[in-house]
Amino acid sequence: MLRINCPVCGTRDETEFTYGGDATVVRPAMDETRAQLWLDYVFNRDNPRGPHTEYWHHVQGCRQWLVMERNTLTHEVGECHLAKEAC
Amino acid sequence: MSHYSALSVFLNALKGNQNWQRAWRDPAPKPKYDVVIVGGGGHGLATAYYLAKEHGIRNIAVIEKGWLGGGNTGRNTTIVRSNYMMPGNTMFYERSMKLWENLSQDLNYNVMISQRGQYNLCHSPAQMDAARRRGNIMRANGIDADLFDRAEVKRRLPYLDYSATARFPIHGAIFQSRAGTARHDAVAWGYARGADRLGVDIIQQCEVTGYIWDKGKITGVQTTKGEIRAGKVGLAVAGHTGHLADMAGLRLPIETHALQAYVTEPLKPMVDPVISFGAAHFYISQSDKGGLVLGGDLDGYNSYAQRGGLPIVEHTLASAKALMPSLSRLKLLRHWAGVMDMSMDGSPFITKTSVDGLYLNGGWCYGGFKATPAAGWCFAWTIAKDEPHPDNAEFTLNRFERGYQIDEKGVGPKPNAH
Ligand SMILES: Cc1cc2nc3c(=O)[nH]c(=O)nc-3n(C[C@H](O)[C@H](O)[C@H](O)COP(=O)(O)OP(=O)(O)OC[C@H]3O[C@@H](n4cnc5c(N)ncnc54)[C@H](O)[C@@H]3O)c2cc1C
Ligand SMILES: [Zn+2]
């Protein structure tokens, strides 16, 4: 069980959250016309073995989107902040 | 190396089983091979076997960082089927089914293929329609499929929940009679022995840590046992595909996720076929030792840890109980996890890459065990001929930019949903 430290609700079980994937992926500007950038955004991932910055949605809590650091090899959970607050 | 037969079992038994020879050699790596395959799971070993057998390329090494079959090959729930309906998948998986049917004879090694049949249950009229469509596509391609209504499913599988209070009422099922299970370890060992007999060097406890480059082309691998040069390098590393691709400068449409499997205490024969629940991701079969083998959803977040968390254990067992209430007092004996190369459309890659000298077999998600024979066969073809066989022609990396995803489940680019 991952224990996620929601900045609003405190430390809660992973089962209250929905995973949102790699948080370093940035959507291109809406007028971007280079297909490669859209391809990278929609499909390609770094998929690191180690530190990972990722989205979690506190669906059964404050319903905020969070950005959390987690190690994909050890599952060690690190810093967590609200996605709407730039880090 | 000796040929296995009923006679050899008998004669060895008479001598107290003292004289069995080891099934494959344990060679030190040579400085150079024509082909180096990274990953000693079923796919890597099968690739080496078919390269040697079908294409006469015998100067090959298979390099494995742990032990043979210690990855997903030895961790999966061993279900073998060919009930796919998307062009690109259908005939590939049917090739695999046909290879399975003769694999024990071909390898002279009993892979214990058991064509006990697989039911995919339907729990709504819409699911019945989708199953009918899938079945029709399969039959149009010469693959066996049957659609059963509720009464027939109840007659065949009386132990499921047909009560008025069943959470997801059973409307019927689509059935493939040629589907079933195989013995996972035996698949790795059988291909290893077969490849070794054809001259392939199998090198265990040797991790690939980088590549040897020559003017932008990969010409070998760096390993924990030194440099090994190669005409061509083929990756068959399942969940570690992203990691090995990254070392080659490739960013792939793959995320690595953990999937668990579970075995209960042994029972007398109860579940003859393979049964997949249609309302949640859950399936069940019974091993020859009597344990019920259960599988379910991914843990749900990127992971390279070969262990799973408890929430999914509970989720899977809740599905088990919703489908078969009689399981409720069984004890789980063991559960474990493997790390899966989840591709963005749920379909695999058997392809050349944009890096000269590097070939890729990956993206198998949780369905690559059944693919083992055909994946090896097609990957060998692709490496030997530098072009795909028609059966793996769609398993390219550039299908995403061309708009030709093979999204069998129709869930879009969300790897933890396939
Ligand atoms: C719990 C679970 C249930 C599953 N159930 C099914 C099922 O019922 N039916 C089905 O069809 N499929 C199933 N699968 C999927 C299936 O197991 C895999 O797709 C398939 O076994 C992949 O085979 P492989 O040979 O590519 O990978 P693996 O057997 O994982 O082999 C890859 C090998 O590469 C090695 N390796 C990695 N990195 C390096 C390196 N740097 N250097 C050297 N070696 C390296 C690893 O040690 C490993 O042995 C399941 C998987 C899991 C985990
Ligand atoms: Zn919260």
Side-chain angles (χ1 to χ4, degrees):
Chain A
M1 178 76 75
L2 299 179
R3 299 273 287 158
I4 295 177
N5 189 10
C6 174
V8 179
C9 313
T11 306
R12 297 296 185 89
D13 284 354
E14 105 196 35
T15 44
E16 291 185 9
F17 299 80
T18 299
Y19 183 63
D22 188 337
T24 64
V25 177
V26 183
R27 188 173 68 200
M30 288 315 276
D31 56 0
E32 178 59 63
T33 53
R34 280 171 293 176
Q36 182 62 39
L37 296 186
W38 285 104
L39 182 76
D40 278 342
Y41 166 65
V42 179
F43 295 113
N44 293 332
R45 296 292 177 264
D46 289 342
N47 190 25
R49 186 164 90 183
H52 193 228
T53 307
E54 58 198 26
Y55 284 122
W56 288 86
H57 187 195
H58 200 178
V59 212
Q60 296 181 51
C62 59
R63 302 193 62 84
Q64 292 296 308
W65 278 95
L66 312 177
V67 172
M68 184 172 81
E69 305 291 328
R70 190 181 55 90
N71 188 307
T72 60
L73 197 54
T74 62
H75 292 182
E76 192 184 350
V77 163
E79 219 253 306
C80 183
H81 62 264
L82 293 179
K84 62 186 179 190
E85 286 168 4
C87 36
Chain B
M1 283 202 202
S2 59
H3 188 80
Y4 294 157
S5 64
L7 185 65
S8 75
V9 170
F10 180 70
L11 291 178
N12 273 288
L14 284 184
K15 293 180 194 147
N17 285 318
Q18 300 291 306
N19 298 326
W20 288 109
Q21 294 163 23
R22 57 179 303 150
W24 55 84
R25 296 164 297 128
D26 185 23
K30 290 190 270 185
K32 184 171 188 338
Y33 292 92
D34 293 339
V35 177
V36 162
I37 303 291
V38 187
H43 285 219
L45 294 163
T47 305
Y49 174 73
Y50 291 117
L51 271 170
K53 179 173 174 239
E54 306 282 339
H55 305 282
I57 301 174
R58 299 195 169 194
N59 187 24
I60 304 175
V62 177
I63 300 183
E64 165 57 48
K65 72 172 174 180
W67 65 93
L68 297 188
N72 294 345
T73 299
R75 292 166 189 268
N76 75 89
T77 44
T78 76
I79 297 164
V80 167
R81 56 185 170 87
S82 61
N83 53 356
Y84 286 73
M85 66 173 197
M86 301 298 291
N89 276 343
T90 316
M91 295 325 285
F92 171 82
Y93 286 102
E94 181 56 11
R95 170 180 293 282
S96 215
M97 201 68 225
K98 294 209 172 98
L99 287 168
W100 278 115
E101 287 173 328
N102 192 41
L103 195 59
S104 295
Q105 289 73 14
D106 183 33
L107 294 176
N108 177 232
Y109 201 98
N110 188 1
V111 299
M112 295 168 71
I113 175 86
S114 160
Q115 293 179 291
R116 53 184 72 183
Q118 190 220 9
Y119 295 83
N120 272 298
L121 300 172
C122 304
H123 307 271
S124 67
Q127 267 190 328
M128 282 298 276
D129 289 346
R132 183 175 288 114
R133 172 170 177 243
R134 178 176 295 272
N136 282 337
I137 293 174
M138 289 166 64
R139 290 174 83 136
N141 283 290
I143 303 167
D144 67 302
D146 289 293
L147 195 69
F148 298 139
D149 62 10
R150 177 181 165 94
E152 180 65 13
V153 175
K154 188 172 181 183
R155 194 182 68 73
R156 289 165 169 252
L157 309 172
Y159 39 79
L160 305 183
D161 188 357
Y162 301 94
S163 67
T165 54
R167 176 68 182 82
F168 298 102
I170 293 168
H171 283 239
I174 179 172
F175 178 68
Q176 187 182 21
S177 65
R178 285 157 69 237
T181 60
R183 169 83 204 278
H184 47 10
D185 295 323
V187 174
W189 298 336
Y191 273 120
R193 175 169 167 271
D196 178 272
R197 287 171 129 197
L198 295 170
V200 172
D201 281 0
I202 295 169
I203 297 153
Q204 300 181 67
Q205 306 294 340
C206 178
E207 180 169 356
V208 170
T209 53
Y211 301 100
I212 306 172
W213 295 88
D214 185 17
K215 301 189 192 78
K217 180 177 162 26
I218 286 183
T219 57
V221 289
Q222 321 259 8
T223 79
T224 46
K225 293 189 177 177
E227 287 195 347
I228 304 175
R229 301 204 164 261
K232 296 174 177 179
V233 174
L235 299 182
V237 293
H240 300 275
T241 302
H243 187 63
L244 277 119
D246 183 45
M247 295 196 254
L250 296 173
R251 198 163 173 263
L252 300 180
I254 286 180
E255 277 182 10
T256 297
H257 285 256
L259 179 72
Q260 305 191 49
Y262 320 80
V263 173
T264 70
E265 57 190 320
L267 300 178
K268 295 210 166 161
M270 174 182 179
V271 183
D272 309 329
V274 178
I275 306 170
S276 302
F277 196 20
H281 198 173
F282 169 73
Y283 52 89
I284 182 166
S285 65
Q286 189 165 16
S287 79
D288 294 334
K289 285 189 280 188
L292 296 176
V293 181
L294 321 177
D297 263 321
L298 295 174
D299 274 42
Y301 41 85
N302 290 44
S303 173
Y304 283 88
Q306 286 188 134
R307 60 187 157 79
L310 290 175
I312 293 296
V313 179
E314 188 177 352
H315 177 81
T316 306
L317 299 183
S319 299
K321 179 149 178 324
L323 184 62
M324 289 175 66
S326 56
L327 301 185
S328 64
R329 275 157 48 213
L330 268 184
K331 293 187 176 67
L332 271 194
L333 275 193
R334 295 183 287 134
H335 73 115
W336 62 89
V339 293
M340 227 70 34
D341 35 343
M342 299 301 298
S343 68
M344 284 289 179
D345 60 356
S347 292
F349 307 104
I350 303 179
T351 181
K352 291 167 70 168
T353 69
S354 56
V355 177
D356 254 0
L358 187 69
Y359 300 73
L360 173 67
N361 169 336
W364 290 100
C365 304
Y366 27 54
F369 179 68
K370 71 176 87 68
T372 305
W377 197 93
C378 289
F379 196 34
W381 178 291
T382 306
I383 292 172
K385 299 191 189 286
D386 262 314
E387 61 182 27
H389 183 271
D391 283 351
N392 68 303
E394 303 303 321
F395 295 161
T396 59
L397 283 166
N398 71 8
R399 65 176 182 258
F400 295 94
E401 64 188 72
R402 293 186 300 125
Y404 283 91
Q405 291 104 278
I406 313 173
D407 192 346
E408 188 83 29
K409 260 181 116 181
V411 296
K414 206 163 183 301
N416 53 349
H418 282 283

